[in-house]
Amino acid sequence: MKSLTFLSSFTAVGISIFGQLIGVLDDSYAVGNAWFAGVLAGLITLLILIDSQVMTKCYIIIVSTILGTLGVGFLYLPAAIINIFISIKLDKKKKEEDLN
């Protein structure tokens, strides 16, 4: 799961910066810097590496996906898909913990 987390985070940060550099994320239609929300969402994803409860990690992934999608829009799709895979793994881990 660490590799998926790093992949999601770097994808989100990279896509957000790339979108700003090529001019897809123009600040004229958004309040503030839209690309910054994508970068922040990518950095929030790294918070699941901290040892905490599985449910907290699920909430962090959900917040990251929503923030990234609101900030960057359709460019955030690859990172959002990776976040979905992370959520599936966390759900399986939660079910295993419930059985024990």
Side-chain angles (χ1 to χ4, degrees):
M1 187 164 51
K2 273 187 179 179
S3 61
L4 279 177
T5 304
F6 282 120
L7 181 64
S8 173
S9 178
F10 291 134
T11 302
V13 171
I15 285 174
S16 299
I17 293 173
F18 181 72
Q20 179 68 23
L21 289 177
I22 64 170
V24 173
L25 300 175
D26 188 18
D27 291 337
S28 62
Y29 64 88
V31 177
N33 291 327
W35 68 274
F36 182 70
V39 171
L40 185 62
L43 295 177
I44 287 174
T45 305
L46 290 176
L47 288 177
I48 69 167
L49 295 176
I50 298 172
D51 290 332
S52 62
Q53 295 179 354
V54 177
M55 198 59 143
T56 306
K57 292 180 182 182
C58 290
Y59 288 133
I60 290 171
I61 290 295
I62 290 169
V63 166
S64 170
T65 305
I66 291 171
L67 180 64
T69 305
L70 289 176
V72 184
F74 70 93
L75 291 177
Y76 196 77
L77 187 64
I81 291 171
I82 297 170
N83 282 349
I84 290 170
F85 289 136
I86 293 172
S87 297
I88 291 170
K89 284 192 169 215
L90 286 172
D91 186 47
K92 288 180 183 177
K93 190 174 182 181
K94 175 76 171 144
K95 288 180 181 177
E96 288 175 2
E97 283 183 1
D98 288 342
L99 292 176
N100 292 331

